[in-house]
Amino acid sequence: LYESTLADLQAWLDDGSDRDRAAPEQVRQAQAARAEAIQVTSSKTRELQDELHQTQQAIVQRALSALNAISEALDKLNRKAGGLGAILDSEVLPPATPDQDWRTRVIPRWRRNPGGAMLPYDNVTNTAQEKLFSIHLVLASLLAAPHPRGRILILDELADSLGAEHRREVLDAIATVAKQY
């Protein structure tokens, strides 16, 4: 019985010996193929990451360019109305990973006294000044638009909380924009 079992075992080992001799070469070939696939995939991933970064930077530049145009128009409107200057303080942040959102921070600022700092729009002031600044901001957005022709601006309750002087300034600013465009 022992010799019969030993003969069966030897036959089984002999049957697999060719496979066993070829196995190290097959493993090496499979490892080489996987290493090449990993290298190609890594290279393509780096290329795609670079392209994504370039695309994101182009979007950031385009957004900042539009915001800068609005900022310049806001400053012109503010100064024309007798103000001391205004800007949009802005930042555009692309997502770090694909599952995150873009983040944009825009803070309208204006100078309220000579030599003073540019204050954020939400600093306490009188309602008429706030409304005038808000309208200038909306008008600045229209002025900075690449194709403003044909757009409609609806100012609901325009005279609400505006005195005669501020109402005149707002209407002058609107008339100027309407004549230009």
Side-chain angles (χ1 to χ4, degrees), residues 52-53 55-57 59-60 92-104:
L52 174 62
H53 179 72
T55 301
Q56 287 177 333
Q57 290 309 305
I59 292 168
V60 166
V92 178
L93 301 170
T97 61
D99 60 332
Q100 294 178 337
D101 293 331
W102 282 77
R103 291 184 38 226
T104 303

Side-chain angles (χ1 to χ4, degrees), residues 18-38:
D18 290 340
R19 186 185 62 235
D20 291 345
R21 276 192 295 279
E25 180 59 24
Q26 291 171 342
V27 167
R28 189 195 63 70
Q29 288 174 356
Q31 287 173 333
R34 269 189 238 114
E36 183 179 344
I38 288 170

Side-chain angles (χ1 to χ4, degrees), residues 3-63:
E3 286 185 19
S4 163
T5 303
L6 189 57
D8 288 342
L9 181 58
Q10 186 61 50
W12 180 78
L13 289 173
D14 289 344
D15 285 345
S17 66
D18 290 340
R19 186 185 62 235
D20 291 345
R21 276 192 295 279
E25 180 59 24
Q26 291 171 342
V27 167
R28 189 195 63 70
Q29 288 174 356
Q31 287 173 333
R34 269 189 238 114
E36 183 179 344
I38 288 170
Q39 190 269 339
V40 167
T41 302
S42 295
S43 175
K44 188 63 175 172
T45 300
R46 280 190 299 277
E47 285 177 28
L48 291 172
Q49 285 173 332
D50 289 344
E51 289 174 15
L52 174 62
H53 179 72
Q54 289 173 2
T55 301
Q56 287 177 333
Q57 290 309 305
I59 292 168
V60 166
Q61 291 307 314
R62 179 89 186 248

Side-chain angles (χ1 to χ4, degrees), residues 66-111:
L67 290 168
N68 287 337
I70 295 169
S71 183
E72 290 171 13
L74 177 63
D75 187 59
K76 286 178 187 174
L77 285 171
N78 180 272
R79 289 179 189 277
K80 187 172 181 184
L84 301 168
I87 62 168
L88 290 183
D89 182 13
S90 55
E91 180 179 34
V92 178
L93 301 170
T97 61
D99 60 332
Q100 294 178 337
D101 293 331
W102 282 77
R103 291 184 38 226
T104 303
R105 181 190 56 78
V106 179
I107 301 172
R109 296 180 183 274
W110 53 327
R111 191 178 329 277

